[in-house]
């Protein structure tokens, strides 16, 4: 069975500082990996996804993530954060078949301090 | 493209009443729709998967008689919370996968519906 672990429930960061949100997964088969962002009282927006190919994935809003198969990780990074990045971030995994279920991590609240 | 809408965005109802939430794919045909619920400060939990024209598949622990799902067309799925109680208060989010694409079917999420049961 698949599972996703987000190690940090909250990450406070100063504006313009770099940030890394950690995500580890477990699965017995090949997976697709995702990062979603959720602003207050809104749905989910896809930041980026890893399907195959290059392990470094670039997404929207300056975010990127690196798939590390040996460490079963998919950490999200941004070199310089802005106040507008304050939100909840969810790592998610899906098995490599069509219309598969997505399993979400518990989420990491990123709060940016001026 | 690939926009998913939900209606209503917010609903308040009395305990014991039923509430229907609609999920629509606005600019594509959705082969599969998913329903999630999210409690405050928690992650999304999958409730059920619905395919057009067939019965929904519910996750373990989700009462199918309480959460009725109908996927009558390729653009519309509805979730009805029957005899709602305060513990059903939550944020309900739907998603849809697009028909006719490659082996990977991305899920597109709706904006969510906030249900408050008094």
């Amino acid at each position: 069975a698949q599972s996703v672990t987000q190690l940090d429930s909250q990450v406070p960061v100063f504006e313009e500082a770099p940030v890394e949100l950690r995500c580890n997964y477990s699965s017995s088969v090949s997976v697709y990996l995702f990062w979603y962002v959720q602003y207050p009282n809104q749905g989910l927006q896809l930041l980026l996804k890893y399907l195959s190919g290059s392990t470094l994935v670039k997404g929207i809003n300056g975010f990127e993530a690196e798939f590390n198969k040996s460490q079963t990780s998919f950490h999200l990074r941004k070199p310089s954060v802005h106040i507008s990045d304050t939100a909840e971030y969810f790592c998610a995994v899906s098995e490599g078949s069509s219309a598969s279920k997505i399993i979400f991590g518990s989420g990491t609240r990123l709060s940016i301090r001026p | 493209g690939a926009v998913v809408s939900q209606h209503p965005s917010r609903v308040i109802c009395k305990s014991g009443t039923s509430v229907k939430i609609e999920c629509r794919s606005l600019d594509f045909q959705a082969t599969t729709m998913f329903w999630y619920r999210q409690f405050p400060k928690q992650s999304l939990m999958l409730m059920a998967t619905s395919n057009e024209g067939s019965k929904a598949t519910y996750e373990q622990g989700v009462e199918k008689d309480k959460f009725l799902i109908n996927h009558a067309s390729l653009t519309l799925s509805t979730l009805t919370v029957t005899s709602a109680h305060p513990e059903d208060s939550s944020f309900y989010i739907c998603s849809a996968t697009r028909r006719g694409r490659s082996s990977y079917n991305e899920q597109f999420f709706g904006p969510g519906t906030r249900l408050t049961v008094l």
Side-chain angles (χ1 to χ4, degrees):
Chain A
Q2 310 159 68
S3 68
V4 181
T5 302
Q6 290 183 246
L7 299 169
D8 306 299
S9 60
Q10 294 187 60
V11 173
V13 182
F14 286 107
E15 194 173 15
E16 297 184 7
V19 69
E20 178 180 83
L21 305 184
R22 296 181 293 170
C23 173
N24 287 87
Y25 70 93
S26 67
S27 176
S28 58
V29 298
S30 61
V31 295
Y32 297 147
L33 294 159
F34 312 87
W35 275 100
Y36 289 89
V37 60
Q38 184 180 36
Y39 299 101
N41 295 310
Q42 294 187 29
L44 299 182
Q45 182 180 8
L46 180 66
L47 275 178
L48 48 79
K49 61 181 181 285
Y50 171 79
L51 305 182
S52 64
S54 173
T55 56
L56 183 62
V57 181
K58 293 190 182 297
I60 62 172
N61 301 342
F63 284 93
E64 64 179 33
E66 185 158 17
F67 170 58
N68 188 318
K69 189 175 182 179
S70 63
Q71 297 186 4
T72 60
S73 68
F74 191 56
H75 301 331
L76 181 71
R77 302 185 183 98
K78 185 169 182 177
S80 176
V81 296
H82 302 284
I83 292 286
S84 59
D85 292 323
T86 297
E88 190 84 19
Y89 292 80
F90 292 97
C91 181
V93 63
S94 174
E95 287 185 351
S97 61
S98 61
S100 290
K101 298 186 294 187
I102 290 181
I103 305 300
F104 287 89
S106 54
T108 297
R109 175 158 296 281
L110 177 62
S111 57
I112 310 299
R113 301 169 175 173
Chain B
V3 178
V4 176
S5 71
Q6 284 184 239
H7 178 79
S9 58
R10 184 181 295 267
V11 57
I12 301 173
C13 69
K14 293 182 179 180
S15 185
T17 61
S18 294
V19 175
K20 180 184 284 188
I21 302 170
E22 292 186 348
C23 176
R24 292 183 185 272
S25 56
L26 297 185
D27 51 1
F28 67 99
Q29 292 183 323
T31 46
T32 304
M33 288 184 167
F34 302 84
W35 285 96
Y36 299 83
R37 66 186 299 180
Q38 183 182 30
F39 291 108
K41 300 187 186 302
Q42 295 189 29
S43 187
L44 280 74
M45 300 300 295
L46 180 65
M47 299 175 66
T49 303
S50 80
N51 293 291
E52 183 260 339
S54 61
K55 290 184 178 180
T57 302
Y58 291 80
E59 295 299 299
Q60 192 172 8
V62 178
E63 300 175 60
K64 60 181 65 177
D65 293 332
K66 179 162 187 66
F67 299 100
L68 301 178
I69 292 173
N70 184 284
H71 193 160
S73 76
L74 283 171
T75 59
L76 174 64
S77 176
T78 60
L79 167 68
T80 302
V81 183
T82 62
S83 186
H85 292 286
E87 57 266 28
D88 299 322
S89 298
S90 188
F91 195 50
Y92 292 86
I93 302 175
C94 73
S95 70
T97 56
R98 191 172 8 204
R99 185 181 194 181
R101 294 288 170 143
S102 65
S103 60
Y104 165 65
N105 291 320
E106 181 175 346
Q107 286 189 31
F108 301 95
F109 287 82
T113 297
R114 172 78 57 195
L115 171 63
T116 303
V117 185
L118 303 177

